[in-house]
Amino acid sequence: VAPGGYANPEVNGMVLGLCPNRSGGCSVAQCSQQCPELTKLVTSWTKRTVPDGGFRYGSIQVNYNYRARKHIDQNNLGPSYIISLGDHVGGKLWTGDRGVLDCHGKWQLFDGNTEHATEDYEGRDRFSFILFTPDKYNRLTDAVCKRAKELGVTACSTAGVDDAYFSNYRDLGA
């Protein structure tokens, strides 16, 4: 991937925590199954560094040198936090409702259900971490929910009903 360029389908990225599955629910992501200690390390780091210590999420998208084109997330409740790290300049997050958010070295809250994209950047390394919650977070099997909690995921349930917590984020643009 050329710095600042669009990544090809073989982008260096992974999902940790929960991941939608083919049966319409969520499973523990393959990367989290294969690297549980990495998942625990990243969830521990997010707990210590996200400005809203009570923020809940079910998944973490980790990207390396990826420039996301304008899109709206699918299978996402909306409230998301992003941070980029590494040796780069630019790479801010453009959002359709809140404008441009500088996420280099600092967490920024945004709504994944509104249009957003990564702006151009230059540099050798850009890592991004995006915290979000799959819309099926509350329809997990007991085993998946237990394992997700062990890995440090904070939004997981077997109840089948929406969590009142997420009503705080109905209109992030307000």
PDB file of all heavy atoms in Angstrom, residues 25-43:
ATOM      1  N   GLY A  25     -25.506 -14.104  13.360  1.00  0.00           N
ATOM      2  CA  GLY A  25     -25.187 -13.691  14.721  1.00  0.00           C
ATOM      3  C   GLY A  25     -23.762 -13.185  14.801  1.00  0.00           C
ATOM      4  O   GLY A  25     -23.227 -12.650  13.834  1.00  0.00           O
ATOM      5  N   CYS A  26     -23.140 -13.372  15.943  1.00  0.00           N
ATOM      6  CA  CYS A  26     -21.739 -12.997  16.143  1.00  0.00           C
ATOM      7  C   CYS A  26     -20.996 -14.161  16.771  1.00  0.00           C
ATOM      8  O   CYS A  26     -21.555 -14.927  17.547  1.00  0.00           O
ATOM      9  CB  CYS A  26     -21.618 -11.799  17.076  1.00  0.00           C
ATOM     10  SG  CYS A  26     -21.982 -10.225  16.324  1.00  0.00           S
ATOM     11  N   SER A  27     -19.733 -14.242  16.427  1.00  0.00           N
ATOM     12  CA  SER A  27     -18.808 -15.199  17.016  1.00  0.00           C
ATOM     13  C   SER A  27     -17.607 -14.425  17.525  1.00  0.00           C
ATOM     14  O   SER A  27     -17.451 -13.242  17.221  1.00  0.00           O
ATOM     15  CB  SER A  27     -18.344 -16.210  15.962  1.00  0.00           C
ATOM     16  OG  SER A  27     -19.430 -16.907  15.410  1.00  0.00           O
ATOM     17  N   VAL A  28     -16.738 -15.102  18.257  1.00  0.00           N
ATOM     18  CA  VAL A  28     -15.459 -14.508  18.601  1.00  0.00           C
ATOM     19  C   VAL A  28     -14.624 -14.522  17.331  1.00  0.00           C
ATOM     20  O   VAL A  28     -14.519 -15.544  16.651  1.00  0.00           O
ATOM     21  CB  VAL A  28     -14.771 -15.289  19.743  1.00  0.00           C
ATOM     22  CG1 VAL A  28     -13.365 -14.774  19.980  1.00  0.00           C
ATOM     23  CG2 VAL A  28     -15.600 -15.195  21.015  1.00  0.00           C
ATOM     24  N   ALA A  29     -14.060 -13.360  16.987  1.00  0.00           N
ATOM     25  CA  ALA A  29     -13.290 -13.215  15.749  1.00  0.00           C
ATOM     26  C   ALA A  29     -12.140 -14.219  15.707  1.00  0.00           C
ATOM     27  O   ALA A  29     -11.545 -14.562  16.730  1.00  0.00           O
ATOM     28  CB  ALA A  29     -12.751 -11.794  15.634  1.00  0.00           C
ATOM     29  N   GLN A  30     -11.819 -14.662  14.505  1.00  0.00           N
ATOM     30  CA  GLN A  30     -10.757 -15.642  14.314  1.00  0.00           C
ATOM     31  C   GLN A  30      -9.426 -15.152  14.898  1.00  0.00           C
ATOM     32  O   GLN A  30      -8.713 -15.916  15.539  1.00  0.00           O
ATOM     33  CB  GLN A  30     -10.596 -15.967  12.833  1.00  0.00           C
ATOM     34  CG  GLN A  30      -9.594 -17.059  12.566  1.00  0.00           C
ATOM     35  CD  GLN A  30      -9.530 -17.446  11.106  1.00  0.00           C
ATOM     36  OE1 GLN A  30     -10.226 -16.887  10.262  1.00  0.00           O
ATOM     37  NE2 GLN A  30      -8.696 -18.412  10.788  1.00  0.00           N
ATOM     38  N   CYS A  31      -9.101 -13.889  14.692  1.00  0.00           N
ATOM     39  CA  CYS A  31      -7.851 -13.351  15.242  1.00  0.00           C
ATOM     40  C   CYS A  31      -7.834 -13.430  16.758  1.00  0.00           C
ATOM     41  O   CYS A  31      -6.791 -13.703  17.361  1.00  0.00           O
ATOM     42  CB  CYS A  31      -7.644 -11.902  14.792  1.00  0.00           C
ATOM     43  SG  CYS A  31      -7.238 -11.745  13.052  1.00  0.00           S
ATOM     44  N   SER A  32      -8.980 -13.207  17.392  1.00  0.00           N
ATOM     45  CA  SER A  32      -9.052 -13.302  18.856  1.00  0.00           C
ATOM     46  C   SER A  32      -8.956 -14.750  19.321  1.00  0.00           C
ATOM     47  O   SER A  32      -8.418 -15.031  20.390  1.00  0.00           O
ATOM     48  CB  SER A  32     -10.335 -12.671  19.384  1.00  0.00           C
ATOM     49  OG  SER A  32     -10.266 -11.270  19.254  1.00  0.00           O
ATOM     50  N   GLN A  33      -9.476 -15.671  18.518  1.00  0.00           N
ATOM     51  CA  GLN A  33      -9.350 -17.086  18.852  1.00  0.00           C
ATOM     52  C   GLN A  33      -7.897 -17.530  18.756  1.00  0.00           C
ATOM     53  O   GLN A  33      -7.404 -18.284  19.593  1.00  0.00           O
ATOM     54  CB  GLN A  33     -10.217 -17.934  17.924  1.00  0.00           C
ATOM     55  CG  GLN A  33     -11.697 -17.747  18.121  1.00  0.00           C
ATOM     56  CD  GLN A  33     -12.509 -18.568  17.145  1.00  0.00           C
ATOM     57  OE1 GLN A  33     -12.161 -19.705  16.830  1.00  0.00           O
ATOM     58  NE2 GLN A  33     -13.606 -17.998  16.661  1.00  0.00           N
ATOM     59  N   GLN A  34      -7.211 -17.049  17.733  1.00  0.00           N
ATOM     60  CA  GLN A  34      -5.825 -17.454  17.502  1.00  0.00           C
ATOM     61  C   GLN A  34      -4.836 -16.700  18.387  1.00  0.00           C
ATOM     62  O   GLN A  34      -3.774 -17.230  18.713  1.00  0.00           O
ATOM     63  CB  GLN A  34      -5.457 -17.259  16.035  1.00  0.00           C
ATOM     64  CG  GLN A  34      -6.220 -18.165  15.113  1.00  0.00           C
ATOM     65  CD  GLN A  34      -5.980 -17.864  13.646  1.00  0.00           C
ATOM     66  OE1 GLN A  34      -5.466 -16.812  13.278  1.00  0.00           O
ATOM     67  NE2 GLN A  34      -6.349 -18.804  12.784  1.00  0.00           N
ATOM     68  N   CYS A  35      -5.164 -15.476  18.765  1.00  0.00           N
ATOM     69  CA  CYS A  35      -4.256 -14.629  19.548  1.00  0.00           C
ATOM     70  C   CYS A  35      -4.993 -14.004  20.732  1.00  0.00           C
ATOM     71  O   CYS A  35      -5.151 -12.780  20.803  1.00  0.00           O
ATOM     72  CB  CYS A  35      -3.659 -13.537  18.653  1.00  0.00           C
ATOM     73  SG  CYS A  35      -2.784 -14.147  17.222  1.00  0.00           S
ATOM     74  N   PRO A  36      -5.447 -14.818  21.678  1.00  0.00           N
ATOM     75  CA  PRO A  36      -6.215 -14.262  22.793  1.00  0.00           C
ATOM     76  C   PRO A  36      -5.418 -13.283  23.649  1.00  0.00           C
ATOM     77  O   PRO A  36      -5.980 -12.303  24.145  1.00  0.00           O
ATOM     78  CB  PRO A  36      -6.648 -15.494  23.592  1.00  0.00           C
ATOM     79  CG  PRO A  36      -5.700 -16.576  23.198  1.00  0.00           C
ATOM     80  CD  PRO A  36      -5.299 -16.274  21.785  1.00  0.00           C
ATOM     81  N   GLU A  37      -4.127 -13.509  23.812  1.00  0.00           N
ATOM     82  CA  GLU A  37      -3.325 -12.597  24.634  1.00  0.00           C
ATOM     83  C   GLU A  37      -3.194 -11.232  23.969  1.00  0.00           C
ATOM     84  O   GLU A  37      -3.172 -10.212  24.652  1.00  0.00           O
ATOM     85  CB  GLU A  37      -1.955 -13.208  24.950  1.00  0.00           C
ATOM     86  CG  GLU A  37      -2.036 -14.469  25.818  1.00  0.00           C
ATOM     87  CD  GLU A  37      -2.846 -14.289  27.091  1.00  0.00           C
ATOM     88  OE1 GLU A  37      -2.645 -13.265  27.790  1.00  0.00           O
ATOM     89  OE2 GLU A  37      -3.675 -15.169  27.405  1.00  0.00           O
ATOM     90  N   LEU A  38      -3.102 -11.198  22.648  1.00  0.00           N
ATOM     91  CA  LEU A  38      -3.078  -9.923  21.925  1.00  0.00           C
ATOM     92  C   LEU A  38      -4.396  -9.184  22.151  1.00  0.00           C
ATOM     93  O   LEU A  38      -4.408  -7.975  22.414  1.00  0.00           O
ATOM     94  CB  LEU A  38      -2.846 -10.143  20.429  1.00  0.00           C
ATOM     95  CG  LEU A  38      -2.977  -8.896  19.560  1.00  0.00           C
ATOM     96  CD1 LEU A  38      -1.901  -7.871  19.914  1.00  0.00           C
ATOM     97  CD2 LEU A  38      -2.917  -9.271  18.087  1.00  0.00           C
ATOM     98  N   THR A  39      -5.501  -9.895  22.058  1.00  0.00           N
ATOM     99  CA  THR A  39      -6.814  -9.279  22.276  1.00  0.00           C
ATOM    100  C   THR A  39      -6.906  -8.710  23.684  1.00  0.00           C
ATOM    101  O   THR A  39      -7.347  -7.570  23.870  1.00  0.00           O
ATOM    102  CB  THR A  39      -7.941 -10.293  22.024  1.00  0.00           C
ATOM    103  OG1 THR A  39      -7.795 -10.826  20.704  1.00  0.00           O
ATOM    104  CG2 THR A  39      -9.309  -9.653  22.180  1.00  0.00           C
ATOM    105  N   LYS A  40      -6.462  -9.457  24.678  1.00  0.00           N
ATOM    106  CA  LYS A  40      -6.489  -8.977  26.060  1.00  0.00           C
ATOM    107  C   LYS A  40      -5.596  -7.753  26.231  1.00  0.00           C
ATOM    108  O   LYS A  40      -5.955  -6.814  26.953  1.00  0.00           O
ATOM    109  CB  LYS A  40      -6.060 -10.087  27.024  1.00  0.00           C
ATOM    110  CG  LYS A  40      -7.067 -11.208  27.144  1.00  0.00           C
ATOM    111  CD  LYS A  40      -6.519 -12.314  28.036  1.00  0.00           C
ATOM    112  CE  LYS A  40      -7.429 -13.518  28.044  1.00  0.00           C
ATOM    113  NZ  LYS A  40      -6.852 -14.608  28.870  1.00  0.00           N
ATOM    114  N   LEU A  41      -4.455  -7.739  25.573  1.00  0.00           N
ATOM    115  CA  LEU A  41      -3.551  -6.592  25.649  1.00  0.00           C
ATOM    116  C   LEU A  41      -4.221  -5.348  25.060  1.00  0.00           C
ATOM    117  O   LEU A  41      -4.199  -4.274  25.667  1.00  0.00           O
ATOM    118  CB  LEU A  41      -2.251  -6.896  24.893  1.00  0.00           C
ATOM    119  CG  LEU A  41      -1.250  -5.754  24.816  1.00  0.00           C
ATOM    120  CD1 LEU A  41      -0.629  -5.494  26.181  1.00  0.00           C
ATOM    121  CD2 LEU A  41      -0.174  -6.087  23.794  1.00  0.00           C
ATOM    122  N   VAL A  42      -4.835  -5.490  23.889  1.00  0.00           N
ATOM    123  CA  VAL A  42      -5.466  -4.344  23.227  1.00  0.00           C
ATOM    124  C   VAL A  42      -6.687  -3.867  24.016  1.00  0.00           C
ATOM    125  O   VAL A  42      -6.875  -2.663  24.197  1.00  0.00           O
ATOM    126  CB  VAL A  42      -5.824  -4.672  21.755  1.00  0.00           C
ATOM    127  CG1 VAL A  42      -6.619  -3.542  21.115  1.00  0.00           C
ATOM    128  CG2 VAL A  42      -4.555  -4.943  20.946  1.00  0.00           C
ATOM    129  N   THR A  43      -7.518  -4.781  24.518  1.00  0.00           N
ATOM    130  CA  THR A  43      -8.692  -4.342  25.290  1.00  0.00           C
ATOM    131  C   THR A  43      -8.260  -3.683  26.601  1.00  0.00           C
ATOM    132  O   THR A  43      -8.895  -2.729  27.050  1.00  0.00           O
ATOM    133  CB  THR A  43      -9.682  -5.492  25.558  1.00  0.00           C
ATOM    134  OG1 THR A  43      -9.017  -6.566  26.232  1.00  0.00           O
ATOM    135  CG2 THR A  43     -10.313  -5.998  24.270  1.00  0.00           C
TER     136      THR A  43
END
